Amino acid sequence: AHWGHDLTAALGRWPAIVVVGLISVALAAASYYLLEQPIQRRARSWSARPAGAVTVIPGA
């Protein structure tokens, strides 16, 4: 990602690279725990149904 010359000018080259790396890791961790884990838990519960199971919705 291009963060611009302002960040590099304010912090210096290597500190800016470290900051961008930390932001990237934080966003990846948030994505994993807030999006991927809940979806994987739901997928496991759906796959736990026996083959040929039928869901009955009363009144439908």
Side-chain angles (χ1 to χ4, degrees), residues 23-45:
I23 291 171
S24 297
V25 169
L27 290 174
S31 169
Y32 179 74
Y33 288 109
L34 298 175
L35 296 173
E36 294 179 36
Q37 285 291 323
I39 291 170
Q40 289 176 359
R41 277 187 292 241
R42 258 187 253 138
R44 271 188 246 128
S45 69

